[in-house]
Amino acid sequence: MAVRHCMHKNHTHLVRGGTTGLLEKASIWEAELMQQATQDLAPLCAQLQNDATLRVMLNLLMPELSLQSQAIKLQYNAGGGGCFPMHFDTDAAVDTRRVTAIWYLNPGWQPGHGGELRLYPFPQPAVDIAPLNDRLVLFSSTDMLHRVLPSSRERCCFTIWLSEGLRRRAGASVAAEEQAAARAELQRALSRTQPLDGEEAWRLILHPHIRHHAAKLRHCAEWEQSVRESHPQGPQLQVALDTFTAEVAVVARALAPLLPALAAGLPPEHMPRRSWF
Ligand SMILES: O=C(O)CCC(=O)C(=O)O
Ligand SMILES: [Fe+2]
């Protein structure tokens, strides 16, 4: 595969004390389709980069997303346990990516080869998706926690990120006021010294400002394990694990009144519909 010549190692971004470090993943290589070098080596990749079919279809089905551009990378997992730690692809405050589409290229994948995509539509239980050839999986880039389980075989996919345009940003100042009010309400609730009761606690746990943090606490043991599995041993991995432990402690302190409800779990009758976007 000629395009392998322009592949580089994938890294996990480590945010710590205001600086971002890079932690190389074991066995994972990638090529950006936007880059001319990739397109020159693999004309089909240029065609895919410029194909608007998925974006147009999604805008028809979900016009509220208002998707305007796409960035695509080709991912090659060399096998031998290559995997991704638990993560959200982005945060709405960081960039405009809104939909993640993964298109798998694995003829002959068998149960037992590993490399399943695991989605965590918190508070619903996790869902494993086999990376079957020609399967396309779509989920929210901002709200869906996910990881890739260790793969014992070579595994390939295109990862397509669809971004919203500037149009939706027009209402930003109204949204900012609403957000300030929501933040004040959350601060009041979280400054209580007594635990909140189940229903009130779950309303806050599922609040968009809290849900990501609550999901991290709920799955913290698996999250830590996934960081260990995805990166080579060494001092940088230890820094990543220490940073993770410190973050979890801060989140647990901040969400203290919600912890009993989180540990007890949401009663099935209150479980919201599974939400992918
Ligand atoms: O390989 C996959 O199935 C998912 C990859 C992924 O999560 C990513 O590139 O952010
Ligand atoms: Fe991802």
Side-chain angles (χ1 to χ4, degrees):
M1 188 163 63
V3 79
R4 248 163 100 167
H5 295 295
C6 53
M7 295 197 111
H8 48 86
K9 284 308 282 289
N10 174 291
H11 293 85
T12 298
H13 292 248
L14 270 183
V15 180
R16 187 168 182 247
T19 58
T20 305
L22 292 176
L23 180 59
E24 187 174 296
K25 289 193 187 73
S27 309
I28 310 283
W29 298 78
E30 62 190 17
E32 310 286 338
L33 267 56
M34 205 104 74
Q35 289 192 350
Q36 199 56 46
T38 314
Q39 300 194 8
D40 291 347
L41 279 167
L44 276 175
C45 284
Q47 218 171 308
L48 179 60
Q49 175 63 44
N50 297 318
D51 189 319
T53 311
L54 183 58
R55 187 162 56 79
V56 170
M57 294 289 283
L58 286 171
N59 278 335
L60 278 172
L61 294 169
M62 294 186 285
E64 69 281 9
L65 290 173
S66 171
L67 301 170
Q68 296 205 344
S69 60
Q70 64 189 16
I72 308 181
K73 76 179 187 195
L74 174 63
Q75 182 209 123
Y76 169 69
N77 180 332
C83 57
F84 277 62
M86 290 171 70
H87 65 282
F88 296 94
D89 280 347
T90 190
D91 183 304
V94 170
D95 64 43
T96 53
R97 286 179 292 167
R98 293 297 172 264
V99 176
T100 302
I102 320 263
W103 184 14
Y104 293 106
L105 310 165
N106 301 307
W109 184 90
Q110 296 288 327
H113 289 177
E116 291 89 348
L117 174 70
R118 180 169 287 174
L119 301 176
Y120 303 82
F122 175 81
Q124 298 271 356
V127 178
D128 286 353
I129 299 177
L132 296 182
N133 196 45
D134 212 23
R135 173 173 270 177
L136 183 73
V137 182
L138 295 157
F139 55 85
S140 163
S141 309
T142 52
D143 294 337
M144 182 58 74
L145 180 59
H146 59 285
R147 69 178 284 200
V148 176
L149 299 181
S151 181
S152 62
R153 304 292 174 100
E154 287 187 327
R155 173 191 189 275
C156 290
C157 60
F158 286 112
T159 303
I160 305 168
W161 283 294
L162 297 126
S163 294
E164 72 176 358
L166 297 174
R167 195 155 60 78
R168 294 188 73 215
R169 305 252 135 174
S173 62
V174 180
E177 273 174 33
E178 278 170 16
Q179 284 193 4
R183 234 192 316 275
E185 191 213 332
L186 286 176
Q187 272 167 8
R188 270 195 304 280
L190 296 179
S191 59
R192 289 166 46 119
T193 46
Q194 297 297 314
L196 285 160
D197 84 53
E199 211 166 304
E200 170 70 351
W202 273 99
R203 197 177 63 77
L204 293 171
I205 290 170
L206 297 179
H207 187 286
H209 290 178
I210 302 287
R211 186 176 159 271
H212 290 198
H213 300 298
K216 190 170 211 168
L217 276 188
R218 164 73 186 77
H219 295 292
C220 69
E222 186 179 349
W223 195 310
E224 183 184 343
Q225 180 62 20
S226 75
V227 175
R228 282 183 202 283
E229 286 171 352
S230 305
H231 307 98
Q233 290 282 348
Q236 273 191 306
L237 172 60
Q238 199 48 52
V239 170
L241 292 168
D242 293 345
T243 306
F244 177 78
T245 306
E247 256 173 41
V248 168
V250 170
V251 174
R253 246 194 334 268
L255 301 189
L258 308 179
L259 297 185
L262 190 61
L266 182 61
E269 64 273 20
H270 294 307
M271 196 62 86
R273 252 167 40 91
R274 221 177 240 161
S275 141
W276 310 110
F277 291 98

